[in-house]
Amino acid sequence: MSNEVIGAMVLAGGHSNVNAIHAFVRVVRRMRWSSRPLTRGIQSYAGSLRILAGLAPPHLCDDVKACAAGGFKTLPPSTTHFAPLFMAHRVSGGEQPARLRALEQPATRALARRAARLEQGIADFEARAVEDWGDIMDTIGLWP
């Protein structure tokens, strides 16, 4: 259930960016680099973003009720489907392979630095959300 709570939080936070995520995935899907491992890494990242953007948020309250009704011994099917899928594709916005940085041109380096600063703000926000996660887990009576 903990992973489902994390997934619900991440999807709620990313919902406002879903159109930008889909646009990014459409563009990146057509791109190729001279390094096959780099291309695979970026394609994998974009594929995970596509899956996350397409995931419906879990019905957390219903799932907790179903779990409680079973004496907290088994997870409901919706949780056993959502949580592993979410965790398998969980990526942070702006993850960038080190090999890609080496290919930056001077004209794009400033843009990459600006994007990195913005992405750091998102990462900082996610780190602060851990406290909210704990509050949610306490409120619904779950703790890993």
Side-chain angles (χ1 to χ4, degrees):
M1 297 285 333
S2 175
N3 290 340
E4 185 174 0
V5 171
I6 293 167
M9 292 174 68
V10 168
L11 293 182
H15 181 72
S16 63
N17 295 320
V18 77
N19 289 336
I21 292 168
H22 286 302
F24 170 80
V25 169
R26 276 192 308 276
V27 169
V28 169
R29 190 179 329 172
R30 297 185 305 259
M31 298 176 82
R32 301 291 178 268
W33 287 262
S34 58
S35 165
R36 284 188 179 146
L38 178 59
T39 298
R40 275 193 307 274
I42 293 171
Q43 296 293 332
S44 174
Y45 173 75
S48 287
L49 280 177
R50 181 185 56 75
I51 289 169
L52 290 175
L55 275 178
H59 298 282
L60 193 54
C61 292
D62 292 341
D63 291 345
V64 171
K65 287 176 189 174
C67 193
F72 293 98
K73 292 185 174 113
T74 59
L75 295 171
S78 53
T79 299
T80 59
H81 171 76
F82 174 85
L85 182 61
F86 169 76
M87 293 306 288
H89 295 284
R90 182 178 179 197
V91 293
S92 294
E95 284 183 6
Q96 187 180 86
R99 290 178 178 175
L100 188 59
R101 279 187 221 103
L103 299 174
E104 289 174 357
Q105 300 295 316
T108 58
R109 202 163 282 134
L111 177 61
R113 282 194 305 270
R114 181 171 181 263
R117 284 192 304 273
L118 293 170
E119 291 157 5
Q120 186 58 51
I122 294 169
D124 293 345
F125 174 79
E126 288 177 352
R128 289 188 305 273
V130 170
E131 185 176 330
D132 296 330
W133 168 83
D135 291 343
I136 292 167
M137 296 295 285
D138 283 341
T139 299
I140 61 178
L142 298 173
W143 199 251

